[in-house]
Amino acid sequence: MENFIKHIKFFISERNPEDNQKDMKDGIMEECDRYFKESIYLAAEAISELATKRIEDGDTILIFNRSQLVVKILLDAHNAGKKFRVMVTDSRPDLRGILACERLTAAGIPVSYIYINSVTYAMTEVTKVLLAAEALLANGYVIGPVGTGMISLVANTYNIPVIVCCETYKFSERVQTDSILFNELADPCDILSNVRSDVAWQNHPNLHLVNLVFDATPPKFISIVITEVAELPCSSAPVILRKQLNTCY
Amino acid sequence: LSSGINAEWPLRPGEEFNTYLKNKTLRRPSYVIVTKTVAVLRELVVSSTWHHPTDLIRILKLYARYLPLKQSNETVVSNIVRRVLKIVREECSPTEGNAGLSVFFKKDSPKSSVETGDQNELKENICAGIEELEREVENSKNSIIKMALEHITDEVILTYGYSITVRDFLLHGHRKRNFRLVVCESGPSLKGHQMARECAEGGLDTTLIADSAAFAMIHIVNKIIIGTHTIMADGALRALNGTHQLALAAKHYAVPVIVCAALYKLSPTHLCSYDHDAFNKVIGPEMMVPFRNANLHSRVLVSNPEFDYVPGDLVELYITNIGGHAPSYFYRIVSELYHFKDFDLDSETSHDDT
């Protein structure tokens, strides 16, 4: 979001201040559409093409929660004729993995479904882990849905490659080393939703509920980041940022 | 059945216990199962007809094969059977087996009751041994929680799953120390919810988080205190699903993992295969995907393993009823608590007992 705003502001500053208002508005709308098309839709296509090359026949791929980009990559790979199995990992309170399951089984891909606590049990069978990122920070940390860090850690312990897919508009200049100082909190009551028990203890004054949304994964757990411009290691994130900076200023 | 044994054991309590073990709907803390097992075995020793301790050993082993041990997955029952067998074997030949420091104290021991052939005295001695075991089991939790003040300071402690021992350990520590507790909800069984509830009601400042947030929260945690289902012979754990990844995250952030467990959970078994063939049990998936999503069940393989294997090198300390130990010391405790001939209770070749 930040990147998009910077881009538009830069675009506006470049325009001839003598243009009339209508032309200016049309120009900005056009630029927005172009940005969406290039940075979001076409980027997803490019990433999918690069990632599909990484998927081989006979793979068992572990994914986490529901990410449109990752599901798209898997569907494209399946359409390209690759034969693989998918393990969908899910976590409370969202339980969005079920949606990914449905989309993948509809396409005919064999799917297993596990809870995030069983990753160590399942990791012996997994060959690759495919994750999506919410943001990639300048020091190489990957911000993803909470639970990404845990999965990357376990995959790293079992020497399974972790592939992160991230469009360049998600790169950020921020730096962070932990998940607590800068995060989002979702509705804490979600943790206790769908639980069949009496409600009286849930409002106890000593009990606090914390529902984190994001998670910062250290770069050493990630094998490769696939973006639409290149496939790079996490530590090269500042290179992309500098390129973006150069085109902006 | 070999000759010399009257194989009528007291059927009623034995059968009741069998049914009790088979019933999976009851929530059973290990402590309750252990006390029941000790009572049933004691009944067996007292009421069955045997002339020599080796007969009794055979009866106990037969009974152990009759119980649904693999089905119920309660390793504490096999452990107690092994303890009782050890007590009987010690009556059989007191100086056989482990020559520990006890050898120095037994120099002037009176003639062993086996040699005098007095069956009543034998029975009394064995029952006294079983009573001592009963007392040890009763006091095991108290022995563990008394050590709370040595291991808890003003800090943030993370716990996982539900364990009565850990809960009381923390509540005991809360009397004098001011710490904050973070509880992971431990899905899909969600045992963490009960832990959070009981700790909050006991006065602890408790924070309940989702399991996926454990990695995020762990860097502000000072130690992790957990319970376990079973301690393996090499100091590894057979604990609730999700403990292994928590221990891995703890190792990454150099957070010590402390396990509170009584010694009746120590089992002389090892992990044989990383596929968890005989080690783990996969339970019903309805906790994860409710059966109303039957459509999904028919097309997707849903796995819900119950246990997790945690290697011993990820655990910093075990707090047991006989004190604190490093995981590497358990091989010694196993050889002191159990007799090597009892390690495998299933074996058909148990005729060479003596």
Side-chain angles (χ1 to χ4, degrees), chain A residues 92 111 113 117 119 204 206 208, chain B residues 185 187 205-206 208 245 301:
Chain A
R92 285 190 81 241
V111 175
Y113 178 71
N117 284 331
V119 249
H204 200 280
N206 284 338
H208 312 286
Chain B
E185 62 177 10
D205 183 349
T206 315
L208 180 64
Q245 62 177 15
L301 176 68

Side-chain angles (χ1 to χ4, degrees), chain B residues 201-217:
Chain B
E201 286 172 355
L204 284 173
D205 183 349
T206 315
T207 305
L208 180 64
I209 60 171
D211 311 305
S212 37
F215 183 77
M217 297 288 275

